[in-house]
Amino acid sequence: MNRTTLSKPLRWLAMAWAAGSFLLTACTPNPSSSAGPAPAAQTAPTDVAVAPVVNGKPMAYALFAGGCFWCIEADFEKLAGVLAVESGYTAGQTPQPTYEQVSAGHTGHTEAVRVLYDPSQVSYAQLVDYFWRHIDPTVKDQQFCDVGPQYRSGIYWQNEAERATAEASRDALIKSGRFSTIHTELAPSSAFHLAEDYHQDYYKKNEMRYSYYRLSCGRDARVKKLWG
């Protein structure tokens, strides 16, 4: 069985367990799940959300896509200075996309997270560096066992300062010789759509199912191989 065939069954199996049953018919991947429309060309950020003020201090948002949003959400919530992480969809065309639409690969979106952080505790550059070390930037339209443009990795900058930081970080990685090519998308931000409630904090609500999925997908093993 190839990796494309494995990806959606692992996700659906974890969610089926969370619902208390094995819905085997839901484990059959859509034959077109590894292909979808290319995101629309975009040259400037749109729909930039204003982060809240917490205890009189302005916070900030950052947008990243690192494959399964259950996993990248869990990773970012471990980082000091991060207040909250929301799972959702971005960089696509369909208004108000659902998980079923996005996972079928027909909307142009990628699974993503919106990170709420305190700039006085952690910088955007530190977030970007942390992000790289929790993904596989060497593959296109794929992260670990999940295959298709809906799982492509990306950094979605919201202003020119973030763009410069993201591009400098990518260029430094290539210059270091660690990777000859980086397929992670760097693009201006667009609308971020919150995923369904059951996806938020999935790793906390369904610890055993999440752990099974993450281990079976080989995420941590691949990250360790790439980054040490």
Side-chain angles (χ1 to χ4, degrees):
M1 185 179 292
N2 62 34
R3 296 182 73 188
T4 303
T5 305
L6 282 171
S7 65
K8 288 191 70 178
L10 289 173
R11 299 292 295 278
W12 283 112
L13 183 58
M15 287 188 292
W17 281 6
S21 63
F22 290 93
L23 303 178
L24 296 182
T25 56
C27 294
T28 304
N30 187 313
S32 60
S33 63
S34 62
Q42 188 182 324
T43 59
T46 60
D47 298 292
V48 177
V50 178
V53 174
V54 177
N55 297 325
K57 297 167 57 180
M59 301 296 111
Y61 282 128
L63 295 174
F64 301 98
C68 169
F69 46 24
W70 298 346
C71 298
I72 200 70
E73 177 184 329
D75 290 337
F76 267 113
E77 288 195 345
K78 295 181 176 73
L79 182 62
V82 169
L83 280 67
V85 184
E86 298 168 300
S87 289
Y89 318 109
T90 198
Q93 297 88 41
T94 302
Q96 303 303 318
T98 66
Y99 176 72
E100 288 74 18
Q101 291 173 321
V102 174
S103 63
H106 300 313
T107 71
H109 291 89
T110 185
E111 289 195 10
V113 293
R114 183 166 64 183
V115 179
L116 177 65
Y117 68 101
D118 183 347
S120 70
Q121 296 186 43
V122 61
S123 68
Y124 183 73
Q126 289 172 314
L127 291 176
V128 170
D129 182 67
Y130 186 85
F131 167 74
W132 287 125
R133 296 174 182 278
H134 288 80
I135 68 161
D136 180 353
T138 69
V139 292
K140 181 177 174 60
D141 290 340
Q142 177 181 339
Q143 281 296 289
F144 313 102
C145 67
D146 292 315
V147 179
Q150 65 272 37
Y151 300 110
R152 67 188 183 275
S153 61
I155 301 174
Y156 300 98
W157 47 271
Q158 301 170 96
N159 52 55
E160 284 300 306
E162 289 186 358
R163 180 193 62 77
T165 297
E167 291 181 355
S169 180
R170 177 201 57 196
D171 295 348
L173 275 178
I174 294 175
K175 186 176 181 180
S176 72
R178 182 184 288 271
F179 308 118
S180 59
T181 303
I182 288 178
H183 289 286
T184 299
E185 179 175 64
L186 271 60
S189 63
S190 58
F192 177 82
H193 304 278
L194 282 175
E196 295 79 354
D197 286 346
Y198 66 89
H199 286 301
Q200 308 300 331
D201 289 322
Y202 188 90
Y203 76 102
K204 295 178 182 176
K205 298 173 183 174
N206 302 281
E207 185 177 353
M208 290 183 63
R209 289 90 176 185
Y210 165 76
S211 296
Y212 166 79
Y213 164 74
R214 184 160 185 146
L215 178 63
S216 299
C217 203
R219 188 178 187 109
D220 294 323
R222 178 61 176 165
V223 165
K224 184 175 182 180
K225 182 177 181 179
L226 286 170
W227 298 100

